[in-house]
Every structure is written in C-alpha cells, then in structure tokens.
Amino acid sequence: MPKIVDHEERRLRLAEAVWTLTLRDGLEGVTLRKVAVEAGVSMGQVQHYYATREDLVRDAIDRAVRALNARIEASIKAADPASAETMLRECLRAVLARDPESLRLLQLSVAVLGRAIADPAMADVLAPGSGELLDFTAGLIAAARQERGTPARGNGLIDADICWNLATSLGVDAALGQRSPEDALKVLDYHLDNLLG
Amino acid sequence: MPKIVDHEERRLRLAEAVWTLTLRDGLEGVTLRKVAVEAGVSMGQVQHYYATREDLVRDAIDRAVRALNARIEASIKAADPASAETMLRECLRAVLARDPESLRLLQLSVAVLGRAIADPAMADVLAPGSGELLDFTAGLIAAARQERGTPARGNGLIDADICWNLATSLGVDAALGQRSPEDALKVLDYHLDNLLG
DNA sequence: CCTCATGGTCAACGATCTTCGGCATGCGTC
DNA sequence: GACGCATGCCGAAGATCGTTGACCATGAGG
C-alpha cells in the first residue's frame, strides 16, 4: 500500500483556514486559493481533499457547528449536578460566547444562518431546539423550582423553549458585537430569576 | 438635459430581482447575469446602476431590511391605541412572519446575518434593539399591567429587551421553516401572559 | 523489478466580476 | 434648426475564480 496520511488532520487544518477566512472576509470571500495560502498548502491539495468548493465550505461549517455543540455539551457535563439551578444557568450560558473560542464558533454559526435560507440541509445542521433538549431543560426548570420551594406553574416545555430562544438570541447579539457578553448574561439571569422565583 | 429616467424605480426592480434570486439560490448565487435576466434588462444596465456587485447586493439588502422595519412600524400604527396590551402583542407579532410578504422580508434579513459577521456596516443595518424602541415597549408593558390591574415589578427595560429578543428569535425560526408561525405565536403569547399576569 | 493505488501538482477552460471605451438619446443653447 | 454634451446604456478585454483532467512521485505488495 502507498503512503498513508491522516485525512482527518488535513481536513481539520483546511477547515480552520476556512474559519479564519470566513470571519475575516465572509463566506463569499472564501476562495480555494486563499484557503490554500492560509493553510500553507498548494491549491491542488485543497482540491484533492474536497471535490468542490461547496464540499469544502459545507464541511468546515459542519465542523464548526459540531464543535460548538460539543462545547455546550461539555459545559453541561462540567456543571455541578447537585444543583439543578446552577446546571440550568450553566447550560444556557454556554451559548453566550463568553470566551474567545466560543465567540469564534458562535460567529461562524451565525455566518451559516444566511445559507440556511436557500439551503434546507444547512437549516437542519443548526436546529438546536431538539425535543430531548427541551425535555431535559424542562426537567431542570421543575427541579430548580423545587429547590427554591417555588410552586410549579405554566408549561415547562414552553418555558424551556423560551429559555433557549432567548439564550441563542442573546448569543447572536454577542456574536455580532451588538451586545457585550456581560450584558447578555445579565439579561439571561434576569429572565431565570423571574422564571424560577 | 438628456433623457431622464426614474432611478428609484430601476433600482427597486433590480433589488426585487436580487431578493428573488437570494431566496432561491442564496446570496452567493446572485450573479449580475442572473439579476439581469430576472429583471428583464441587460447586464450592462445592471452595471450602470451599481458600480460593483457588492453595491448591488448591499442596496438590495438595505431595502429589504428597511421594508421590513416599515411593515413593523405600520403594524404598530395600525394597532388599537386604546389598549396597551393589544398594541404590545401586535408590535411583537409583526416580526413573526405571519404573512407571505413578511416571511419573504424576514428570510432576506436572516440571509444578511451571515454577512454581518465580516461586515460591521451590515450589523448596523439590522440592530433592532434601538434605545427608543425599548423605552416605548417598556412603557407598553407598564401600561398593559395597569390595564390588567397587575402591580409593577422587575425592570421594564430588560423585560422589553427580552420580549424583542424572543420575538425576533421566533421570527428567525419561522423564517428558517423550523417552526410554524402559529407555534411561534403561541410561544410569544405564553410569554406575554406570564409577563403581564 | 514491476504494479498500481494513494497523495499531490499543474495547466487549461468556462464562468464570473470589473474596467473602459464607445454609441445613442434628447434637453439646453445659440 | 443645429450643435454641445451630459445621461443612459452597451459590449469587449482583462483579471480572478472554480472545475476538470492529465500528469508525476512515492512506496507497499506481487
């Protein structure tokens, strides 16, 4: 068998280059030649790993969204499992772009939103409001109220839905630089105080 | 003076063509040639009214966002001024894409979000959270509570902030087809019931 | 030594955006 | 009425981009 290279490592490096260029020049500004320069490889090599520019961009986007989801899940697992309220707050804070890497991934996700309009497949990639997440969040809300001694009320699933919508909206604002992460956090905490109090 | 044509009418027609193509092929799929065909003019004419492709797309986006804002303001003015609560609900419902034209404009606005990451000027075009709007909304919330006999509580500005973030987030979901306008309306009304009750 | 699959490169092609020079039209002026 | 010229519009050349296909290098197996 001939030379064996780590495809995953190559593709990751190219995806990183696409990320950098996307944040600097926008998705439309991502060209094969610029990606090659940014990644320090020949343009031919870029074409070797991705059949078309569309494949390249799509894979880079996919990796960004998955990396962001992985970070969110990691912060969920890292949260204190003893307190439902801290866990709830930590989960929602994870999409607020409070560290540079999260900000970068969040900005990339926002950059994809535009494509999702004309490309239904992209819309599926995003879609954070999966059923299980809402169930899980609704459970956290109920448990957090119990901790506080607050009586249950309203519809837990809709409450959870609202929480995630608010958090992601605040995250988008932060990604666009229209709102500081601190301000976003303040608004989110305010909402949770009302929800649980 | 030589022949005089209505520049505004020409540009509007070209912008309409850009809108149609954007919703069908995405922003990257908008080419001068396709715009010319869609608008029924020559490519030279497109170039005559816009120096670069960038100018064309930028102006079309700008018009879409302004048209959406105009519709929102119109629905605010059309709301019953006698009841603060109906007015509040009507204002927020205006961004939920409940009619085809609003859906189209909202989808276009979402398509712009991606550009806003690498193009700060675009971010300014969006920015719905202007100070006056929040003040106005906070006033509506307070008045609606008074109508209901609900005592004032919390921070009106943050409440207004949350309302708009929730509404726009639900609108984006609707624009992406991830949520039906009816469901979005249900969630928004649920939040307002909690807020005012 | 030969085979050939894998990794990688390069040049040419069509499509695209941009630039620039040119043509037509019709109001203002003499 | 004729000329001037700014406006509206067109089309071809130049530059850049994505795509295609042929090509070369390497190294494990027969």
Side-chain angles (χ1 to χ4, degrees):
Chain A
M1 292 302 165
K3 183 166 61 173
I4 298 298
V5 299
D6 188 347
H7 282 224
E8 186 59 21
E9 184 272 336
R10 291 276 204 278
R11 289 208 169 89
L12 191 59
R13 177 135 57 128
L14 292 176
E16 281 276 357
V18 173
W19 293 357
T20 302
L21 290 173
T22 299
L23 295 183
R24 201 187 64 193
D25 305 333
L27 268 181
E28 302 182 57
V30 176
T31 74
L32 296 186
R33 289 166 177 82
K34 285 202 279 188
V35 169
V37 171
E38 180 69 29
V41 301
S42 73
M43 176 176 158
Q45 187 166 340
V46 178
Q47 296 172 301
H48 183 69
Y49 285 96
Y50 293 100
T52 69
R53 181 194 111 103
E54 188 62 21
D55 287 346
L56 169 64
V57 172
R58 205 179 289 267
D59 185 55
I61 285 172
D62 209 57
R63 286 169 187 273
V65 174
R66 273 184 298 169
L68 184 61
N69 286 338
R71 284 182 77 89
I72 294 176
E73 283 178 20
S75 88
I76 290 179
K77 283 181 183 139
D80 175 16
S83 163
E85 178 166 344
T86 11
M87 192 156 203
L88 177 62
R89 289 186 191 268
E90 279 305 314
C91 290
L92 294 170
R93 281 175 186 174
V95 295
L96 288 193
R98 284 160 62 239
D99 61 289
E101 180 65 11
S102 287
L103 174 60
R104 201 168 71 122
L105 294 175
L106 195 57
Q107 286 176 329
L108 285 168
S109 300
V110 172
V112 185
L113 269 183
R115 289 176 78 86
I117 290 296
D119 185 354
M122 272 299 140
D124 295 343
V125 175
L126 297 169
S130 65
E132 298 109 22
L133 183 59
L134 288 185
D135 285 338
F136 174 70
T137 311
L140 281 183
I141 294 174
R145 278 177 175 155
Q146 220 162 19
E147 287 174 6
R148 282 195 175 202
T150 306
R153 58 179 157 83
N155 182 322
L157 280 180
I158 303 185
D159 283 328
D161 202 351
I162 291 174
C163 280
W164 281 108
N165 268 280
L166 179 61
T168 53
S169 177
L170 291 170
V172 169
D173 280 2
L176 292 177
Q178 292 175 345
R179 184 192 296 272
S180 72
E182 294 78 26
D183 187 45
L185 187 58
K186 197 184 68 183
V187 175
L188 179 62
D189 278 338
Y190 173 88
H191 176 70
L192 289 176
D193 287 341
N194 279 339
L195 183 66
L196 302 177
Chain B
M1 296 297 169
K3 182 165 61 172
I4 299 298
V5 300
D6 187 346
H7 281 227
E8 187 59 21
E9 184 272 337
R10 290 276 205 277
R11 289 206 168 90
L12 191 58
R13 178 134 58 126
L14 293 176
E16 283 274 356
V18 173
W19 293 357
T20 302
L21 290 173
T22 299
L23 296 183
R24 202 187 64 193
D25 306 332
L27 267 180
E28 301 181 56
V30 176
T31 74
L32 297 185
R33 286 159 180 72
K34 286 202 278 187
V35 169
V37 171
E38 181 69 29
V41 301
S42 73
M43 177 176 158
Q45 187 166 341
V46 178
Q47 295 173 302
H48 181 68
Y49 285 98
Y50 294 100
T52 69
R53 182 195 110 101
E54 187 63 22
D55 287 346
L56 168 65
V57 172
R58 205 180 290 267
D59 186 55
I61 284 172
D62 209 58
R63 286 170 188 273
V65 174
R66 274 183 298 169
L68 184 60
N69 286 338
R71 283 183 75 90
I72 295 176
E73 283 180 19
S75 87
I76 290 179
K77 283 182 182 140
D80 176 16
S83 163
E85 178 166 344
T86 29
M87 192 155 201
L88 176 62
R89 290 185 191 267
E90 278 306 314
C91 290
L92 294 170
R93 282 175 186 175
V95 295
L96 288 193
R98 284 160 65 239
D99 63 289
E101 179 65 10
S102 287
L103 174 61
R104 201 168 72 121
L105 294 175
L106 195 56
Q107 286 177 328
L108 285 167
S109 300
V110 172
V112 184
L113 269 184
R115 290 176 78 84
I117 290 295
D119 185 355
M122 273 297 141
D124 294 342
V125 174
L126 296 169
S130 64
E132 298 109 20
L133 182 60
L134 288 185
D135 285 338
F136 174 70
T137 310
L140 281 183
I141 293 174
R145 277 176 175 156
Q146 218 161 20
E147 286 173 6
R148 281 195 175 201
T150 306
R153 59 180 156 83
N155 182 322
L157 280 180
I158 302 185
D159 284 329
D161 202 350
I162 290 175
C163 280
W164 280 108
N165 268 280
L166 178 61
T168 53
S169 177
L170 291 170
V172 169
D173 280 2
L176 292 177
Q178 291 177 344
R179 186 192 295 272
S180 71
E182 295 78 27
D183 187 45
L185 187 58
K186 197 184 70 184
V187 175
L188 179 61
D189 278 338
Y190 174 88
H191 176 70
L192 289 176
D193 287 341
N194 279 340
L195 184 67
L196 302 176

PDB file of all heavy atoms in Angstrom, chain A residues 35-60:
ATOM      1  N   VAL A  35      -7.702  29.811   0.740  1.00  0.00           N
ATOM      2  CA  VAL A  35      -7.676  28.724   1.717  1.00  0.00           C
ATOM      3  C   VAL A  35      -6.320  28.018   1.665  1.00  0.00           C
ATOM      4  O   VAL A  35      -5.720  27.706   2.692  1.00  0.00           O
ATOM      5  CB  VAL A  35      -8.814  27.721   1.456  1.00  0.00           C
ATOM      6  CG1 VAL A  35      -8.639  26.462   2.301  1.00  0.00           C
ATOM      7  CG2 VAL A  35     -10.161  28.356   1.751  1.00  0.00           C
ATOM      8  N   ALA A  36      -5.839  27.793   0.452  1.00  0.00           N
ATOM      9  CA  ALA A  36      -4.547  27.119   0.283  1.00  0.00           C
ATOM     10  C   ALA A  36      -3.434  27.929   0.939  1.00  0.00           C
ATOM     11  O   ALA A  36      -2.610  27.388   1.685  1.00  0.00           O
ATOM     12  CB  ALA A  36      -4.263  26.906  -1.199  1.00  0.00           C
ATOM     13  N   VAL A  37      -3.414  29.238   0.685  1.00  0.00           N
ATOM     14  CA  VAL A  37      -2.386  30.093   1.283  1.00  0.00           C
ATOM     15  C   VAL A  37      -2.493  30.077   2.802  1.00  0.00           C
ATOM     16  O   VAL A  37      -1.493  29.904   3.513  1.00  0.00           O
ATOM     17  CB  VAL A  37      -2.506  31.535   0.745  1.00  0.00           C
ATOM     18  CG1 VAL A  37      -1.589  32.456   1.513  1.00  0.00           C
ATOM     19  CG2 VAL A  37      -2.188  31.565  -0.745  1.00  0.00           C
ATOM     20  N   GLU A  38      -3.711  30.258   3.300  1.00  0.00           N
ATOM     21  CA  GLU A  38      -3.944  30.317   4.749  1.00  0.00           C
ATOM     22  C   GLU A  38      -3.506  29.023   5.434  1.00  0.00           C
ATOM     23  O   GLU A  38      -2.953  29.048   6.536  1.00  0.00           O
ATOM     24  CB  GLU A  38      -5.425  30.582   5.015  1.00  0.00           C
ATOM     25  CG  GLU A  38      -5.794  30.672   6.475  1.00  0.00           C
ATOM     26  CD  GLU A  38      -5.226  31.927   7.131  1.00  0.00           C
ATOM     27  OE1 GLU A  38      -5.058  32.927   6.418  1.00  0.00           O
ATOM     28  OE2 GLU A  38      -4.927  31.881   8.337  1.00  0.00           O
ATOM     29  N   ALA A  39      -3.760  27.892   4.765  1.00  0.00           N
ATOM     30  CA  ALA A  39      -3.420  26.597   5.368  1.00  0.00           C
ATOM     31  C   ALA A  39      -1.968  26.204   5.070  1.00  0.00           C
ATOM     32  O   ALA A  39      -1.477  25.208   5.585  1.00  0.00           O
ATOM     33  CB  ALA A  39      -4.376  25.517   4.877  1.00  0.00           C
ATOM     34  N   GLY A  40      -1.310  26.996   4.207  1.00  0.00           N
ATOM     35  CA  GLY A  40       0.078  26.700   3.888  1.00  0.00           C
ATOM     36  C   GLY A  40       0.260  25.486   3.006  1.00  0.00           C
ATOM     37  O   GLY A  40       1.281  24.795   3.093  1.00  0.00           O
ATOM     38  N   VAL A  41      -0.706  25.216   2.158  1.00  0.00           N
ATOM     39  CA  VAL A  41      -0.601  24.079   1.239  1.00  0.00           C
ATOM     40  C   VAL A  41      -0.877  24.569  -0.183  1.00  0.00           C
ATOM     41  O   VAL A  41      -1.204  25.736  -0.390  1.00  0.00           O
ATOM     42  CB  VAL A  41      -1.599  22.960   1.601  1.00  0.00           C
ATOM     43  CG1 VAL A  41      -1.351  22.453   3.012  1.00  0.00           C
ATOM     44  CG2 VAL A  41      -3.032  23.464   1.464  1.00  0.00           C
ATOM     45  N   SER A  42      -0.710  23.673  -1.148  1.00  0.00           N
ATOM     46  CA  SER A  42      -0.996  24.047  -2.530  1.00  0.00           C
ATOM     47  C   SER A  42      -2.490  23.989  -2.786  1.00  0.00           C
ATOM     48  O   SER A  42      -3.237  23.293  -2.102  1.00  0.00           O
ATOM     49  CB  SER A  42      -0.293  23.100  -3.491  1.00  0.00           C
ATOM     50  OG  SER A  42      -0.932  21.851  -3.480  1.00  0.00           O
ATOM     51  N   MET A  43      -2.917  24.741  -3.799  1.00  0.00           N
ATOM     52  CA  MET A  43      -4.332  24.727  -4.145  1.00  0.00           C
ATOM     53  C   MET A  43      -4.750  23.330  -4.599  1.00  0.00           C
ATOM     54  O   MET A  43      -5.865  22.893  -4.343  1.00  0.00           O
ATOM     55  CB  MET A  43      -4.596  25.742  -5.248  1.00  0.00           C
ATOM     56  CG  MET A  43      -6.037  25.733  -5.749  1.00  0.00           C
ATOM     57  SD  MET A  43      -6.339  27.014  -6.972  1.00  0.00           S
ATOM     58  CE  MET A  43      -7.797  26.350  -7.804  1.00  0.00           C
ATOM     59  N   GLY A  44      -3.832  22.641  -5.250  1.00  0.00           N
ATOM     60  CA  GLY A  44      -4.137  21.286  -5.695  1.00  0.00           C
ATOM     61  C   GLY A  44      -4.479  20.362  -4.534  1.00  0.00           C
ATOM     62  O   GLY A  44      -5.348  19.506  -4.648  1.00  0.00           O
ATOM     63  N   GLN A  45      -3.794  20.582  -3.408  1.00  0.00           N
ATOM     64  CA  GLN A  45      -4.064  19.726  -2.259  1.00  0.00           C
ATOM     65  C   GLN A  45      -5.458  19.977  -1.700  1.00  0.00           C
ATOM     66  O   GLN A  45      -6.139  19.040  -1.283  1.00  0.00           O
ATOM     67  CB  GLN A  45      -3.004  19.976  -1.190  1.00  0.00           C
ATOM     68  CG  GLN A  45      -3.104  18.999  -0.028  1.00  0.00           C
ATOM     69  CD  GLN A  45      -1.870  19.024   0.842  1.00  0.00           C
ATOM     70  OE1 GLN A  45      -0.814  19.472   0.429  1.00  0.00           O
ATOM     71  NE2 GLN A  45      -1.997  18.540   2.060  1.00  0.00           N
ATOM     72  N   VAL A  46      -5.839  21.232  -1.692  1.00  0.00           N
ATOM     73  CA  VAL A  46      -7.206  21.541  -1.242  1.00  0.00           C
ATOM     74  C   VAL A  46      -8.210  20.791  -2.105  1.00  0.00           C
ATOM     75  O   VAL A  46      -9.146  20.165  -1.603  1.00  0.00           O
ATOM     76  CB  VAL A  46      -7.472  23.059  -1.327  1.00  0.00           C
ATOM     77  CG1 VAL A  46      -8.903  23.369  -0.915  1.00  0.00           C
ATOM     78  CG2 VAL A  46      -6.487  23.822  -0.454  1.00  0.00           C
ATOM     79  N   GLN A  47      -7.970  20.823  -3.415  1.00  0.00           N
ATOM     80  CA  GLN A  47      -8.892  20.152  -4.328  1.00  0.00           C
ATOM     81  C   GLN A  47      -8.833  18.641  -4.184  1.00  0.00           C
ATOM     82  O   GLN A  47      -9.782  17.936  -4.504  1.00  0.00           O
ATOM     83  CB  GLN A  47      -8.566  20.549  -5.770  1.00  0.00           C
ATOM     84  CG  GLN A  47      -8.777  22.018  -6.033  1.00  0.00           C
ATOM     85  CD  GLN A  47      -8.260  22.417  -7.399  1.00  0.00           C
ATOM     86  OE1 GLN A  47      -7.091  22.255  -7.697  1.00  0.00           O
ATOM     87  NE2 GLN A  47      -9.146  22.934  -8.231  1.00  0.00           N
ATOM     88  N   HIS A  48      -7.685  18.153  -3.709  1.00  0.00           N
ATOM     89  CA  HIS A  48      -7.542  16.712  -3.537  1.00  0.00           C
ATOM     90  C   HIS A  48      -8.453  16.199  -2.427  1.00  0.00           C
ATOM     91  O   HIS A  48      -8.983  15.097  -2.505  1.00  0.00           O
ATOM     92  CB  HIS A  48      -6.087  16.370  -3.222  1.00  0.00           C
ATOM     93  CG  HIS A  48      -5.838  14.896  -3.092  1.00  0.00           C
ATOM     94  ND1 HIS A  48      -5.912  14.039  -4.173  1.00  0.00           N
ATOM     95  CD2 HIS A  48      -5.549  14.133  -2.018  1.00  0.00           C
ATOM     96  CE1 HIS A  48      -5.651  12.810  -3.764  1.00  0.00           C
ATOM     97  NE2 HIS A  48      -5.433  12.840  -2.464  1.00  0.00           N
ATOM     98  N   TYR A  49      -8.640  17.024  -1.390  1.00  0.00           N
ATOM     99  CA  TYR A  49      -9.430  16.584  -0.245  1.00  0.00           C
ATOM    100  C   TYR A  49     -10.890  16.968  -0.345  1.00  0.00           C
ATOM    101  O   TYR A  49     -11.734  16.400   0.356  1.00  0.00           O
ATOM    102  CB  TYR A  49      -8.826  17.126   1.052  1.00  0.00           C
ATOM    103  CG  TYR A  49      -7.577  16.376   1.439  1.00  0.00           C
ATOM    104  CD1 TYR A  49      -6.314  16.862   1.107  1.00  0.00           C
ATOM    105  CD2 TYR A  49      -7.671  15.151   2.071  1.00  0.00           C
ATOM    106  CE1 TYR A  49      -5.178  16.161   1.435  1.00  0.00           C
ATOM    107  CE2 TYR A  49      -6.537  14.446   2.410  1.00  0.00           C
ATOM    108  CZ  TYR A  49      -5.295  14.951   2.088  1.00  0.00           C
ATOM    109  OH  TYR A  49      -4.170  14.238   2.402  1.00  0.00           O
ATOM    110  N   TYR A  50     -11.192  17.933  -1.186  1.00  0.00           N
ATOM    111  CA  TYR A  50     -12.593  18.309  -1.371  1.00  0.00           C
ATOM    112  C   TYR A  50     -12.873  18.436  -2.866  1.00  0.00           C
ATOM    113  O   TYR A  50     -12.168  19.168  -3.572  1.00  0.00           O
ATOM    114  CB  TYR A  50     -12.911  19.619  -0.661  1.00  0.00           C
ATOM    115  CG  TYR A  50     -12.837  19.509   0.842  1.00  0.00           C
ATOM    116  CD1 TYR A  50     -11.717  19.959   1.523  1.00  0.00           C
ATOM    117  CD2 TYR A  50     -13.878  18.941   1.570  1.00  0.00           C
ATOM    118  CE1 TYR A  50     -11.642  19.851   2.905  1.00  0.00           C
ATOM    119  CE2 TYR A  50     -13.813  18.833   2.945  1.00  0.00           C
ATOM    120  CZ  TYR A  50     -12.695  19.286   3.607  1.00  0.00           C
ATOM    121  OH  TYR A  50     -12.613  19.183   4.963  1.00  0.00           O
ATOM    122  N   ALA A  51     -13.876  17.737  -3.311  1.00  0.00           N
ATOM    123  CA  ALA A  51     -14.184  17.707  -4.744  1.00  0.00           C
ATOM    124  C   ALA A  51     -14.551  19.090  -5.273  1.00  0.00           C
ATOM    125  O   ALA A  51     -14.110  19.495  -6.341  1.00  0.00           O
ATOM    126  CB  ALA A  51     -15.317  16.718  -5.009  1.00  0.00           C
ATOM    127  N   THR A  52     -15.333  19.813  -4.504  1.00  0.00           N
ATOM    128  CA  THR A  52     -15.772  21.140  -4.935  1.00  0.00           C
ATOM    129  C   THR A  52     -15.627  22.129  -3.788  1.00  0.00           C
ATOM    130  O   THR A  52     -15.467  21.740  -2.620  1.00  0.00           O
ATOM    131  CB  THR A  52     -17.254  21.142  -5.371  1.00  0.00           C
ATOM    132  OG1 THR A  52     -18.070  20.932  -4.221  1.00  0.00           O
ATOM    133  CG2 THR A  52     -17.525  20.061  -6.403  1.00  0.00           C
ATOM    134  N   ARG A  53     -15.688  23.383  -4.122  1.00  0.00           N
ATOM    135  CA  ARG A  53     -15.654  24.429  -3.099  1.00  0.00           C
ATOM    136  C   ARG A  53     -16.828  24.266  -2.146  1.00  0.00           C
ATOM    137  O   ARG A  53     -16.720  24.481  -0.931  1.00  0.00           O
ATOM    138  CB  ARG A  53     -15.732  25.801  -3.772  1.00  0.00           C
ATOM    139  CG  ARG A  53     -15.677  26.973  -2.791  1.00  0.00           C
ATOM    140  CD  ARG A  53     -16.100  28.268  -3.460  1.00  0.00           C
ATOM    141  NE  ARG A  53     -17.372  28.737  -2.946  1.00  0.00           N
ATOM    142  CZ  ARG A  53     -17.515  29.738  -2.076  1.00  0.00           C
ATOM    143  NH1 ARG A  53     -16.474  30.364  -1.658  1.00  0.00           N
ATOM    144  NH2 ARG A  53     -18.687  30.091  -1.634  1.00  0.00           N
ATOM    145  N   GLU A  54     -17.973  23.900  -2.690  1.00  0.00           N
ATOM    146  CA  GLU A  54     -19.169  23.693  -1.868  1.00  0.00           C
ATOM    147  C   GLU A  54     -18.916  22.641  -0.787  1.00  0.00           C
ATOM    148  O   GLU A  54     -19.289  22.830   0.370  1.00  0.00           O
ATOM    149  CB  GLU A  54     -20.330  23.258  -2.778  1.00  0.00           C
ATOM    150  CG  GLU A  54     -21.673  23.189  -2.096  1.00  0.00           C
ATOM    151  CD  GLU A  54     -22.120  24.535  -1.577  1.00  0.00           C
ATOM    152  OE1 GLU A  54     -21.618  25.573  -2.076  1.00  0.00           O
ATOM    153  OE2 GLU A  54     -22.960  24.573  -0.651  1.00  0.00           O
ATOM    154  N   ASP A  55     -18.274  21.546  -1.166  1.00  0.00           N
ATOM    155  CA  ASP A  55     -17.956  20.499  -0.185  1.00  0.00           C
ATOM    156  C   ASP A  55     -17.054  21.046   0.914  1.00  0.00           C
ATOM    157  O   ASP A  55     -17.262  20.769   2.097  1.00  0.00           O
ATOM    158  CB  ASP A  55     -17.260  19.320  -0.886  1.00  0.00           C
ATOM    159  CG  ASP A  55     -18.225  18.515  -1.725  1.00  0.00           C
ATOM    160  OD1 ASP A  55     -19.444  18.705  -1.545  1.00  0.00           O
ATOM    161  OD2 ASP A  55     -17.779  17.713  -2.547  1.00  0.00           O
ATOM    162  N   LEU A  56     -16.060  21.804   0.516  1.00  0.00           N
ATOM    163  CA  LEU A  56     -15.125  22.379   1.478  1.00  0.00           C
ATOM    164  C   LEU A  56     -15.850  23.255   2.495  1.00  0.00           C
ATOM    165  O   LEU A  56     -15.719  23.069   3.709  1.00  0.00           O
ATOM    166  CB  LEU A  56     -14.071  23.207   0.737  1.00  0.00           C
ATOM    167  CG  LEU A  56     -13.165  24.095   1.586  1.00  0.00           C
ATOM    168  CD1 LEU A  56     -12.294  23.260   2.522  1.00  0.00           C
ATOM    169  CD2 LEU A  56     -12.307  24.984   0.699  1.00  0.00           C
ATOM    170  N   VAL A  57     -16.610  24.211   1.987  1.00  0.00           N
ATOM    171  CA  VAL A  57     -17.313  25.133   2.873  1.00  0.00           C
ATOM    172  C   VAL A  57     -18.307  24.387   3.752  1.00  0.00           C
ATOM    173  O   VAL A  57     -18.398  24.635   4.960  1.00  0.00           O
ATOM    174  CB  VAL A  57     -18.033  26.208   2.037  1.00  0.00           C
ATOM    175  CG1 VAL A  57     -18.921  27.060   2.915  1.00  0.00           C
ATOM    176  CG2 VAL A  57     -17.016  27.073   1.310  1.00  0.00           C
ATOM    177  N   ARG A  58     -19.028  23.448   3.145  1.00  0.00           N
ATOM    178  CA  ARG A  58     -20.029  22.703   3.896  1.00  0.00           C
ATOM    179  C   ARG A  58     -19.384  21.936   5.055  1.00  0.00           C
ATOM    180  O   ARG A  58     -19.892  21.936   6.173  1.00  0.00           O
ATOM    181  CB  ARG A  58     -20.742  21.737   2.950  1.00  0.00           C
ATOM    182  CG  ARG A  58     -22.141  21.351   3.379  1.00  0.00           C
ATOM    183  CD  ARG A  58     -22.739  20.408   2.359  1.00  0.00           C
ATOM    184  NE  ARG A  58     -23.066  21.055   1.103  1.00  0.00           N
ATOM    185  CZ  ARG A  58     -24.264  21.561   0.838  1.00  0.00           C
ATOM    186  NH1 ARG A  58     -25.209  21.499   1.744  1.00  0.00           N
ATOM    187  NH2 ARG A  58     -24.501  22.134  -0.332  1.00  0.00           N
ATOM    188  N   ASP A  59     -18.267  21.300   4.781  1.00  0.00           N
ATOM    189  CA  ASP A  59     -17.604  20.519   5.826  1.00  0.00           C
ATOM    190  C   ASP A  59     -17.071  21.423   6.924  1.00  0.00           C
ATOM    191  O   ASP A  59     -17.169  21.108   8.115  1.00  0.00           O
ATOM    192  CB  ASP A  59     -16.458  19.691   5.218  1.00  0.00           C
ATOM    193  CG  ASP A  59     -15.822  18.771   6.253  1.00  0.00           C
ATOM    194  OD1 ASP A  59     -16.567  17.979   6.863  1.00  0.00           O
ATOM    195  OD2 ASP A  59     -14.603  18.858   6.454  1.00  0.00           O
ATOM    196  N   ALA A  60     -16.518  22.561   6.537  1.00  0.00           N
ATOM    197  CA  ALA A  60     -15.987  23.497   7.527  1.00  0.00           C
ATOM    198  C   ALA A  60     -17.107  23.997   8.437  1.00  0.00           C
ATOM    199  O   ALA A  60     -16.941  24.087   9.658  1.00  0.00           O
ATOM    200  CB  ALA A  60     -15.294  24.664   6.834  1.00  0.00           C
TER     201      ALA A  60
END
